[in-house]
Amino acid sequence: MATRKLGILPCQGACNVGNMTHKVALKFVDNEKISMVCSLGLPLAIPSIIDMAKANDHFIALNGCPMKCSSKALDKVGITDYEEIVLTGDFGIAKNKNFADETGMDEVEAKVKNSIEKYFAS
């Protein structure tokens, strides 16, 4: 049986929640079972980035705010098999321009870890 692959697409927002999604994603990416692609490459239709994204069997769309840019980027290239996490809505984290504000990041990390474990256990 082939190894299942999971992608995590963090938000690239210029705010605290965008920064947190990126930091959390990088804690789990190993480029073997769990990978990350350039989120801008998807809606910009860069073929190699789309191909890398489509090599994953499932994604976690790690959105910072209700704009859900990570989810929209995946949708844009026809990737619909993803779990959607939104920091502001799911965790009540306030969006602000203080990049040092990592309030609630431990909860987000625990949720992503749980999602990864559930995906690979199924």
Side-chain angles (χ1 to χ4, degrees):
M1 186 167 129
T3 302
R4 294 171 57 184
K5 297 183 83 132
L6 174 68
I8 301 176
L9 192 66
C11 159
Q12 296 301 312
C15 59
N16 63 319
V17 290
N19 188 42
M20 282 192 274
T21 65
H22 199 78
K23 285 185 171 186
V24 168
L26 288 174
K27 290 183 179 205
F28 297 102
V29 170
D30 62 11
N31 291 317
E32 291 176 22
K33 292 187 338 185
I34 303 170
S35 65
M36 193 167 92
V37 297
C38 173
S39 60
L40 286 175
L42 299 177
L44 291 174
I46 298 171
S48 61
I49 293 174
I50 293 170
D51 290 345
M52 283 189 289
K54 288 186 174 182
N56 292 290
D57 303 302
H58 182 73
F59 261 91
I60 296 173
L62 197 50
N63 297 284
C65 75
M67 294 289 219
K68 300 181 182 177
C69 296
S70 294
S71 298
K72 289 175 182 172
L74 291 168
D75 290 338
K76 183 81 172 173
V77 297
I79 297 172
T80 57
D81 186 4
Y82 59 82
E83 176 184 358
E84 184 173 77
I85 297 172
V86 183
L87 273 62
T88 55
D90 296 339
F91 302 96
I93 299 171
K95 179 179 176 179
N96 62 57
K97 293 290 185 179
N98 178 0
F99 291 101
D101 182 0
E102 295 181 347
T103 304
M105 191 163 83
D106 289 344
E107 288 178 76
V108 176
E109 185 177 338
K111 169 63 176 161
V112 171
K113 181 179 182 197
N114 181 263
S115 294
I116 290 168
E117 289 170 352
K118 281 172 78 173
Y119 173 70
F120 285 109
S122 66

